[in-house]
Amino acid sequence: MASKTKEPRPARPTPRGWPGPGGGMVGYVDPAPEWRGTSVQVCGLWPFGAGAGTPMVGVPLGRDLDSGATVCCDPVSWFTRTGLLANPSMFVLGRPGLGKSTVVRRMALGLAGYGVHPLIFGDLKPDYTDLIRAIGGQVISLGRGRGNLNVLDPGESVQAAARLTGEARHRLLADVHGRRLHMVSALITILRSAPPTDREETILSAALNVLDDRHGPDRVPVLGDLVRVIKDAPEPVRAVALDRGDIDRYRDITENLEASLTALLGDGRLGGTFASPTTEPMKLDRPVCFDVSGIDDSEQLLQAAALLSCWSYGFGAVSAAHALADAGLEPQRNYFLVMDELWRVLQAGRGLVDRVNALTRLDRQRGVGLAMITHSLDDLLALPTEEDRTKAKGFVERAGMVICAGLPPAEMPQLSQVVELTEAEKRLLVDWSTPPAWDGASGRNGTPPGLGNFLIKVGSRPGIPLHVDLTAAELEVNNTNKRWNRPTQR
């Protein structure tokens, strides 16, 4: 009878333990927990460094969905410190409720820590007021009965010009004049749903020059003063009106312009929000948020006017700050501008695309990062004229980076025309737009599958898919559903 020989045990265990009877080999090994930290924090725990597949420069934004690596990203850092972007700007697209404002708030918070001041020129929900207050910034409220913003107020620009000399002073004053002219024209465009004529803009420009001569730097004029100048018919204004020496002809030429300006003084659709002295001037040495959430959504024209006014006033303040810095009179400051709900302005009236186009063309030398946010390319392509649609699409094409949240399938053909997307990236964005599952037990929707997921696209480079998780400190300032929060019932 043959005897059974015992199988020799291996010299050392396998990765799953000792094999064979009594060896205790397991079928599954739980992966060890992993943590990430900077080289300063964990250098003594793990001395071996390994490169990540994503940039590690900028605001820590989230984790890569493929590799789990930390993704650091913001348009300012990627432009100034890595050279990955041609200009420090980004365009954010995505369906509502997936976290577009959240990812921009994360960037704004991180950049504030780097010394870059966030500026929110028109917060409609509001999404940014708590964050700006939390980091010691200034919140300016606008709306009926809440606060006013005089569109003829040059802000800090006149005081800055008084400290400058020569060509720098001349450039800043010319910039002030151009911005005020553009803003008055924009309000007229919103009111009429059509831009003023070339002759009317020339009359406005001449009237603004007369207005400055009358008031000087000691008193800031308001729209009522501009109407008074046009009514008084001074010679410089009559000359550009081409009245041929006939005052009755002058009255006929300026009647429609005078009527539009009078409608802005308080009793019209836009109220007196932009025709009264500025309630709270903007400060240049801290983060700033213009809170226009008090304007009801039904007042779309007033919302559009408020956003444009905030942008014009804010950009003027930025120009003044840089003029003083260039002259060595103030420290150099960098800003991160957030232009949320872009679609509201673009669809408010014909000609407003040109106004926004002029405001958004900030060159790279100004030390300003820019974030533009909207829901869909349809917001840009729903404009009435082909010319406006082409200009609006250029907002995306000129952006240094495009960040996409979940988007519907119908969006892909249009998006592919301005952003190079692979088929896998398109499927990813469509999957993220899938509605959440209905939980029959609790009677509530589940978490949307694309909540907090984003795809970063820079030119033709492969996109970086990432997920953004909020820290405990961020949860309170990111609560956009405060109106629905109720005390716990006992």
Side-chain angles (χ1 to χ4, degrees):
M1 186 173 179
S3 63
K4 295 183 179 179
T5 59
K6 189 175 181 181
E7 220 177 277
R9 173 170 288 199
R12 53 185 179 180
T14 69
R16 296 178 181 271
W18 293 97
M25 185 174 178
V26 297
Y28 175 77
V29 177
D30 288 328
E34 296 183 12
W35 290 268
R36 291 183 179 273
T38 67
S39 57
V40 174
Q41 294 170 317
V42 299
C43 59
L45 298 178
W46 186 253
F48 306 107
T54 54
M56 295 295 290
V57 176
V59 176
L61 203 59
R63 54 181 175 81
D64 191 304
L65 289 175
D66 293 330
S67 66
T70 301
V71 178
C72 297
C73 174
D74 68 80
V76 175
S77 300
W78 279 24
F79 171 72
T80 58
R81 297 165 59 188
T82 67
L84 291 173
L85 304 185
N87 61 82
S89 64
M90 70 177 186
F91 204 99
V92 184
L93 288 166
R95 301 188 79 166
L98 295 182
K100 298 187 303 297
S101 297
T102 298
V103 73
V104 176
R105 281 193 296 266
R106 167 66 65 83
M107 289 186 183
L109 178 61
L111 287 171
Y114 292 150
V116 179
H117 295 316
L119 301 177
I120 292 82
F121 293 155
D123 192 355
L124 286 161
K125 293 184 180 179
D127 280 342
Y128 302 89
T129 55
D130 290 342
L131 172 64
I132 297 302
R133 287 194 181 101
I135 58 179
Q138 177 189 22
V139 176
I140 302 173
S141 296
L142 297 177
R144 299 184 192 274
R146 302 185 69 199
N148 303 317
L149 180 59
N150 177 16
V151 294
L152 298 184
D153 188 353
E156 297 286 336
S157 298
V158 170
Q159 291 80 3
R163 300 170 63 185
L164 300 172
T165 59
E167 186 64 25
R169 174 186 173 89
H170 175 74
R171 283 198 304 267
L172 186 56
L173 291 176
D175 182 71
V176 170
H177 178 82
R179 290 184 186 279
R180 294 197 299 180
L181 175 60
H182 286 163
M183 198 57 242
V184 175
S185 298
L187 291 181
I188 293 174
T189 300
I190 292 173
L191 195 65
R192 296 179 177 177
S193 296
T197 65
D198 293 342
R199 174 183 279 185
E200 287 176 330
E201 287 206 344
T202 305
I203 292 172
L204 284 173
S205 180
L208 286 171
N209 288 329
V210 173
L211 193 62
D212 290 337
D213 293 337
R214 285 187 178 183
H215 291 280
D218 298 330
R219 178 178 174 272
V220 178
V222 294
L223 280 177
D225 298 319
L226 182 62
V227 174
R228 196 170 297 110
V229 168
I230 295 176
K231 285 182 177 180
D232 292 345
E235 183 57 36
V237 179
R238 293 186 62 177
V240 299
L242 302 177
D243 66 352
R244 311 301 186 196
D246 185 347
I247 189 62
D248 292 330
R249 175 180 166 85
Y250 173 82
R251 301 298 182 199
D252 291 338
I253 292 171
T254 59
E255 182 177 4
N256 290 337
L257 178 60
E258 186 179 327
S260 296
L261 291 173
T262 302
L264 296 172
L265 298 184
D267 296 330
R269 285 177 290 174
L270 300 185
T273 304
F274 312 106
S276 303
T278 300
T279 306
E280 183 178 355
M282 173 183 167
K283 297 180 174 63
L284 301 178
D285 59 349
R286 66 197 66 187
V288 177
C289 174
F290 286 88
D291 179 10
V292 295
S293 60
I295 302 175
D296 193 81
D297 287 343
S298 62
E299 299 188 279
Q300 294 183 1
L301 297 184
L302 182 57
Q303 282 185 343
L307 289 173
L308 269 176
S309 300
C310 293
W311 295 346
S312 180
Y313 181 82
F315 288 148
V318 170
S319 296
H322 287 319
L324 291 175
D326 292 340
L329 300 175
E330 292 286 343
Q332 179 65 56
R333 297 185 178 96
N334 297 106
Y335 300 94
F336 179 53
L337 310 183
V338 178
M339 301 173 67
D340 210 338
E341 301 293 338
L342 186 63
W343 63 274
R344 294 181 186 265
V345 175
L346 299 183
Q347 297 182 9
R350 186 164 58 89
L352 288 178
V353 174
D354 292 326
R355 307 298 176 188
V356 177
N357 191 37
L359 291 177
T360 55
R361 287 183 178 274
L362 300 175
D363 59 38
R364 294 168 294 178
Q365 287 75 31
R366 293 194 180 184
V368 174
L370 180 63
M372 294 173 283
I373 309 171
T374 193
H375 298 137
S376 166
L377 280 181
D378 287 338
D379 298 335
L380 309 181
L381 302 178
L383 299 170
T385 67
E386 181 63 29
E387 182 182 5
D388 283 351
R389 290 192 291 269
T390 301
K391 291 176 182 177
K393 193 166 68 171
F395 300 162
V396 187
E397 294 172 343
R398 289 195 302 271
M401 73 168 70
V402 177
I403 298 182
C404 299
L407 291 166
E411 186 83 4
M412 294 303 110
Q414 299 170 351
L415 184 60
S416 299
Q417 294 178 11
V418 292
V419 181
E420 295 188 30
L421 294 171
T422 65
E423 291 301 319
E425 291 169 345
K426 293 177 185 178
R427 287 195 301 270
L428 196 63
L429 295 177
V430 172
D431 289 345
W432 290 345
S433 69
T434 304
W438 177 261
D439 188 344
S442 64
R444 297 172 61 90
N445 279 339
T447 301
L451 181 63
N453 293 343
F454 302 93
L455 182 70
I456 301 174
K457 289 292 294 185
V458 178
S460 59
R461 293 185 176 93
I464 302 174
L466 78 152
H467 180 77
V468 177
D469 285 313
L470 297 179
T471 64
E474 291 176 288
L475 288 175
E476 181 60 29
V477 298
N478 280 274
N479 183 4
T480 57
N481 295 319
K482 289 182 178 180
R483 297 280 185 186
W484 296 96
N485 293 347
R486 297 180 180 178
T488 303
Q489 300 291 331
R490 292 186 179 181

